[in-house]
Amino acid sequence: MVDRESRVFLVAVGVVALLVGAGQVTGLTEGRRLFGLFVFVGVGILGPQLYLAATGEGPPYARVRTGLLLGLLFVGGAYALTPPGERTLLLGAAGLLALALAVSEGLRVRATAG
């Protein structure tokens, strides 16, 4: 039997495929190379982790940390393949993910300190 966590990730992968496919069909991705990356990171990685953290599946701070670190990993990996004109947007997304990670860790430390 498939557990709840696996179902959440499978649904997220399906939604990513639908969004990227819809973007291709409608021409939304035309000239926008980062569309698929942002959909994958936002819906495929962060979405399930934040949902599972909010519904109490596992330790919430660990889920948030995992989602943000994986998002940073994929965004950082895409930097070398990104054209110079789109790198500013990619750096902005990486900055937001890093800021969210710092805030999340600060809240975690504050919650465990007392």
Side-chain angles (χ1 to χ4, degrees):
M1 182 136 180
V2 180
D3 63 339
R4 183 168 180 257
E5 184 175 339
S6 297
R7 286 192 309 261
V8 169
F9 284 109
L10 285 173
V11 167
V13 168
V15 171
V16 167
L18 285 173
L19 287 174
V20 170
Q24 291 286 334
V25 169
T26 60
L28 185 63
T29 60
E30 194 100 5
R32 296 181 184 99
R33 294 181 176 189
L34 297 179
F35 176 79
L37 176 69
F38 288 149
V39 167
F40 178 72
V41 169
V43 176
I45 294 176
L46 289 175
Q49 292 294 346
L50 293 177
Y51 172 77
L52 291 170
T55 58
E57 288 283 321
Y61 287 113
R63 291 245 179 235
V64 172
R65 183 183 323 121
T66 300
L68 291 171
L69 285 173
L70 283 173
L72 274 170
L73 178 74
F74 278 99
V75 169
Y79 183 79
L81 303 173
T82 304
E86 296 178 349
R87 286 186 177 168
T88 304
L89 182 63
L90 199 61
L91 286 174
L96 279 172
L97 288 170
L99 178 66
L101 182 62
V103 168
S104 171
E105 286 299 306
L107 291 173
R108 182 188 63 82
V109 167
R110 184 175 180 194
T112 57

